[in-house]
Amino acid sequence: LAVNWGRAASPLVHKDRVIVPLGGAQNKIAASLMACSLDDGSVLWTQGKSQISYASPVLMNIHGVEQIVSVNEGDVTGHAWEDGRVLWTSPWASNSNGAACASQPILIDSDKILVGKGYSQGSKLFEVRFNQVGSQTEPIENLQPGDPAWSTKDLWSINKILKTKFTSSIYHDGKLFALSDGILECVDPKDGSRIWRGQRYGQGQTLMVNGTLLVSSEDGRIV
């Protein structure tokens, strides 16, 4: 299947390496992500089989473990920083040539992740769990792919809120803010209920600056 509009993801630079989204099983290297050394560009690892979306890999600290979270076509994956192995997977429908996903994942309260998109899909919040039962003697960073210690659970999924087509949600002061199909809204992350809905600004961008929400509207205004 051809990807009609290419890719727009950005590399992730942290410590001694850069993480680059590749493309998944359709790519010749057949990996979602690749890590390269910042010193000489050598490949440190390639991992994951999911076809990437238009979102960029994000570094998160979940249960004390540095992980790379990748929003892909069909799922969201958490990769161990040291070798890229997939720790957990959460389903999330997406398609390169139609209902594409471009929004970044948002970490909430150190163990919950929000993902969102347009095309009437909205957003969902899921929890990443680490169960040490049966793994008390094993360091968390040494657990292998598919280890039952890692799991995810969807907390809510609502198609009427946070429909972030070309932008991402913002988590600030216990609330979520976003342009939902171009309309500014505020949502309670606990249950996904809408707190308020504001004006229409089109498919623009949002930025939180010192507690003030700035909107770059599609028609060029800064509000």
Side-chain angles (χ1 to χ4, degrees):
L1 176 65
V3 178
N4 291 341
W5 297 292
R7 288 299 179 215
S10 300
L12 167 65
V13 176
H14 181 59
K15 294 181 179 177
D16 62 341
R17 63 194 62 175
V18 54
I19 311 299
V20 181
L22 282 179
Q26 299 174 33
N27 186 282
K28 291 181 179 179
I29 304 177
S32 305
L33 303 177
M34 177 172 66
C36 297
S37 168
L38 287 176
D39 292 330
D40 57 15
S42 60
V43 177
L44 302 176
W45 52 255
T46 58
Q47 290 282 6
K49 296 181 180 180
S50 299
Q51 176 69 30
I52 61 171
S53 68
Y54 296 90
S56 301
V58 175
L59 183 69
M60 295 184 181
N61 191 305
I62 303 174
H63 294 291
V65 178
E66 284 192 334
Q67 303 178 27
I68 307 156
V69 177
S70 179
V71 178
N72 315 300
E73 286 189 12
D75 60 26
V76 184
T77 48
H79 299 254
W81 170 257
E82 62 274 9
D83 59 9
R85 68 189 184 278
V86 177
L87 298 174
W88 52 262
T89 302
S90 178
W92 184 240
S94 179
N95 186 286
S96 291
N97 302 325
C101 185
S103 299
Q104 299 298 102
I106 306 297
L107 182 64
I108 297 175
D109 299 335
S110 76
D111 63 352
K112 301 174 186 66
I113 297 176
L114 178 88
V115 287
K117 58 178 288 189
Y119 307 98
S120 300
Q121 191 163 324
S123 286
K124 84 164 184 175
L125 184 72
F126 66 93
E127 183 180 30
V128 179
R129 295 179 170 184
F130 177 71
N131 183 1
Q132 289 186 321
V133 175
S135 302
Q136 293 93 336
T137 60
E138 183 72 12
I140 189 172
E141 64 271 13
N142 292 341
L143 295 173
Q144 297 303 307
D147 191 295
W150 289 101
S151 64
T152 65
K153 179 183 179 181
D154 287 0
L155 300 179
W156 52 259
S157 182
I158 303 174
N159 62 9
K160 295 182 179 180
I161 53 104
L162 303 176
K163 294 178 282 187
T164 51
K165 186 174 182 179
F166 294 124
T167 184
S168 301
S169 295
I170 294 174
Y171 180 58
H172 176 75
D173 196 24
K175 299 180 180 65
L176 290 165
F177 303 88
L179 288 174
S180 181
D181 265 352
I183 300 176
L184 187 64
E185 70 177 1
C186 175
V187 168
D188 188 340
K190 293 184 180 65
D191 56 8
S193 59
R194 182 184 291 130
I195 298 174
W196 53 257
R197 202 175 195 204
Q199 298 183 41
R200 180 180 294 276
Y201 297 105
Q203 304 296 346
Q205 298 292 326
T206 56
L207 184 69
M208 186 68 70
V209 181
N210 295 330
T212 298
L213 190 63
L214 299 184
V215 179
S216 175
S217 68
E218 192 171 6
D219 61 13
R221 292 173 294 150
I222 302 295
V223 182

